Amino acid sequence: MEYKTVKVEIKDHVARVSLNRPEKKNAMSPQLHRDMTQALEDLRYVDDAKVLVITGAGDAFCAGMDLKEFFHELKGVQSEYDRIYRMATEWRGRTLRYYPKPTIAMVNGYCFGGAFSIVEGCDLAVSANEAQFGLSEINFRMFPGGSVSKSLANLLRPRDALLYAMTGRRFNGVKAADMGWVNMSVPLADLEEQTMALAREIAAKDPVALRACKDGYRFSLEMSWEASMSYTAAKEHEVMVLQKGAWLESGIGDFVKGLYKPGLESHTEKK
Ligand code: COA
């Protein structure tokens, strides 16, 4: 799996996907959008990659859209601008949101503008305390466009979203965790180890159940109560078919036999 601006390494069933333009603080160029689109498509079908961790090469997570290669150079080339714009919103939005495998953003440094949509698109996020987040668009006389406004609306409290969007002030990983923008924040020196431990913990769970976790949550957000009850009942049958009855027969069956306590340990991890 070779890409010009993205690096993929798979170890312990975890795919580490690095935005790989460290000399440009991993700003998202048109090529990076093409590469991420392709990498996510490829990893979808790699069975060994059970969880994805998205991070940045070097000392930055991602400096947002490439202001030069995307906005400046493509603005006059309308069809290509539209093509990359669509691709850029699609992989960070729909593709990540409904990705069939769990995704974790590992924020190792600067995270600006369009990079907020990577963090929000992932299911989970772990940040370095030292990371710096900023909605810098207002500083160049713009607003959080593309998928970014929706990302803010999805995950931030209104006061936080508008404060940071209207000022361009930066906040660090500790603040990001306080705000619920990331799950947790740890010292940069521990970021890799702690994020990978989380990824391995999740990778050890049943993949069919994990996908149902995501779908059940994400689709229920958009459904009425009645529709959600109907959807999750149907999903239960889907899990049953795909796992060949494993959750009921061994998952619950082994508890009933007194073999383990699911409140305290995982059946999948035990085997
Ligand atoms: N688009 C294009 N190029 C970018 C970029 C971006 N978003 N962010 C950084 N770069 C480039 C710089 O132009 C520089 O390129 P050069 O070496 O060819 O001059 C290189 O990356 C390194 O950045 P530099 O500014 O020298 O590093 P720094 O550590 O002093 O500052 C940032 C890093 C991220 C704070 C600063 O580059 C910046 O403000 N970038 C824009 C961030 C932004 O507004 N993002 C929102 C986009 S939606």
Side-chain angles (χ1 to χ4, degrees), residues 27-29 33 62-67 70-71 84 88 92 112-115:
M28 294 179 283
S29 61
H33 290 302
C62 172
M65 290 295 263
D66 190 307
L67 300 177
F70 179 68
F71 290 110
I84 301 299
R92 289 170 300 154
F112 286 111

Side-chain angles (χ1 to χ4, degrees), residues 23-25 27 63-68 71 110 112-114 136-137 140:
E23 73 290 353
K24 297 288 180 188
K25 307 291 174 192
M65 290 295 263
D66 190 307
L67 300 177
K68 180 167 174 279
F71 290 110
Y110 282 139
F112 286 111
S136 48
E137 292 90 338
F140 56 84

